[in-house]
């Protein structure tokens, strides 16, 4: 239930990956993080929870996402806070099984053009949560107040990545993607899916991009130096020009 308190916490996530980039050791990151929090008179309990949640996302990140040490470069290149949120969001989805379950449900609804596919009201989210089952067979079973906080936390993430417009809005639309989040989403999709990645591009799906936008996204990245169309087996396929995220070394050198 970490999402009830933490959300994406973009600025604090930036702080943590910056410290990690400088020191490359999670024990040192933790020590420096708490020293800085104490200096700023933050409460220890809050600081511990925030650190535990965010560090978990980065420590457990799949290799198909940018290495946490590369994230400062990625985030520095983003144009807007929404771009940064869209970059950090897949780390949350990958690390939190409950969030991932709910996101998968909405991806499925979007794929079949279900009515109100992006309805994130308490009622709609609770209906999804009620279907969740833990590996031991137990069901999602929390107090109504806790579930409501979880739903609000989930909506806060949807606002940060551009799906929901404001705090009063509960039904959203697929967000526009900035240049850097798009590159990350495409590289993530390719690294996860291999040659058939475009049949189910996980990075685009997690960012709730409907299939009728995928071609537009492909055309956008093909205009960059990071991706290109190549002819394989008699048909054109879109691939990274080098390894996924090779463009990060160029960004870091600039």
């Amino acid at each position: 239930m970490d999402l009830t308190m933490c959300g994406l916490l973009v600025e604090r996530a930036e702080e943590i990956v910056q410290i990690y980039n400088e020191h490359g050791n999670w024990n040192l990151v933790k020590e420096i993080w708490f020293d800085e929090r104490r200096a700023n008179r933050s409460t220890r309990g809050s600081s511990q929870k925030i650190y535990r949640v965010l560090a978990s996302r980065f420590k457990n990140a799949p290799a198909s996402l940018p290495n946490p040490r590369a994230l400062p470069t990625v985030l520095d290149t983003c144009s807007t806070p929404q771009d940064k949120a869209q970059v950090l969001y897949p780390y949350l989805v990958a690390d939190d099984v409950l969030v991932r379950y709910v996101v998968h449900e909405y991806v499925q609804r979007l794929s079949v053009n279900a009515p109100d596919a992006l309805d994130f009201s308490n009622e709609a989210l609770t209906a999804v949560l009620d279907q969740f089952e833990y590996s031991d067979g137990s069901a999602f079973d929390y107090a109504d107040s806790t579930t409501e906080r979880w739903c609000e936390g989930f909506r806060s993430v949807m606002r940060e990545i551009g799906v929901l417009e404001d705090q009063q809005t509960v039904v959203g639309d697929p967000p526009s993607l900035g240049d850097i989040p798009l590159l990350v989403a495409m590289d993530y999709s390719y690294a996860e899916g291999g040659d058939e990645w475009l049949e189910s591009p996980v990075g685009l799906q997690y960012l709730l991009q409907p299939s009728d936008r995928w071609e537009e996204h492909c055309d956008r990245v093909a205009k960059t130096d990071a991706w290109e169309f190549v002819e394989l087996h008699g048909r054109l396929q879109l691939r990274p020009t080098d390894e996924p995220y090779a463009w990060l070394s160029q960004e870091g050198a600039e």
Side-chain angles (χ1 to χ4, degrees):
M1 304 305 286
D2 289 323
L3 188 62
T4 58
M5 291 184 62
C6 286
L8 289 176
L9 292 176
V10 173
E11 291 183 2
R12 288 176 177 140
E14 279 193 273
E15 288 180 49
I16 286 177
V17 294
Q18 184 62 54
I19 298 170
Y20 182 64
N21 181 47
E22 292 173 5
H23 299 279
N25 180 296
W26 284 110
N27 289 329
L28 271 176
V29 174
K30 185 176 183 179
E31 183 180 327
I32 293 167
W33 167 264
F34 284 121
D35 283 346
E36 291 179 352
R37 302 284 79 69
R38 280 195 291 270
N40 293 328
R41 299 182 182 277
S42 298
T43 63
R44 182 165 183 83
S46 174
S47 296
Q48 284 179 327
K49 184 172 181 65
I50 290 168
Y51 177 81
R52 178 174 57 81
V53 171
L54 292 179
S56 173
R57 293 177 197 172
F58 300 131
K59 288 179 183 179
N60 298 323
S64 47
L65 284 170
N67 186 287
R69 293 192 76 164
L71 272 175
T73 298
V74 180
L75 297 172
D76 284 347
T77 315
C78 288
S79 301
T80 67
Q82 179 174 300
D83 285 2
K84 292 180 180 183
Q86 289 176 349
V87 167
L88 292 169
Y89 164 72
Y91 293 83
L92 163 65
V93 180
D95 188 51
D96 190 310
V97 65
L98 188 60
V99 173
R100 188 164 62 254
Y101 176 83
V102 173
V103 169
H104 276 231
E105 173 64 26
Y106 279 91
V107 167
Q108 177 62 26
R109 293 181 182 188
L110 196 63
S111 71
V112 297
N113 296 314
D116 292 331
L118 299 182
D119 178 356
F120 299 106
S121 63
N122 283 0
E123 294 76 15
L125 284 169
T126 301
V128 176
L129 294 172
D130 284 344
Q131 300 172 50
F132 181 80
E133 206 174 80
Y134 290 97
S135 56
D136 64 0
S138 60
F140 180 89
D141 184 21
Y142 289 91
D144 290 346
S145 59
T146 303
T147 301
E148 287 176 10
R149 289 199 306 276
W150 192 95
C151 293
E152 179 48 47
F154 192 89
R155 282 194 294 273
S156 77
V157 172
M158 291 297 107
R159 285 193 295 273
E160 287 186 277
I161 67 171
V163 176
L164 295 177
E165 186 174 350
D166 52 44
Q167 286 196 321
Q168 286 69 48
T169 306
V170 296
V171 178
D173 295 297
S176 59
L177 300 185
D179 292 340
I180 298 302
L182 177 59
L183 282 173
V184 171
M186 295 291 276
D187 282 13
Y188 180 34
S189 299
Y190 182 83
E192 281 284 319
D195 288 342
E196 305 303 322
W197 69 275
L198 195 50
E199 293 183 8
S200 184
V202 63
L204 296 179
Q205 290 175 316
Y206 280 177
L207 284 164
L208 302 172
Q209 299 298 298
S211 57
D212 60 9
R213 283 193 187 177
W214 296 354
E215 184 176 352
E216 167 198 335
H217 296 319
C218 289
D219 289 341
R220 277 180 65 191
V221 294
K223 292 177 182 177
T224 71
D225 294 333
W227 283 74
E228 63 183 352
F229 281 106
V230 296
E231 186 171 348
L232 290 173
H233 310 300
R235 62 191 181 99
L236 285 178
Q237 292 188 12
L238 184 65
R239 292 188 163 209
T241 53
D242 198 341
E243 295 296 318
Y245 307 113
W247 52 272
L248 274 173
S249 59
Q250 299 171 353
E251 295 287 350
E254 290 177 1

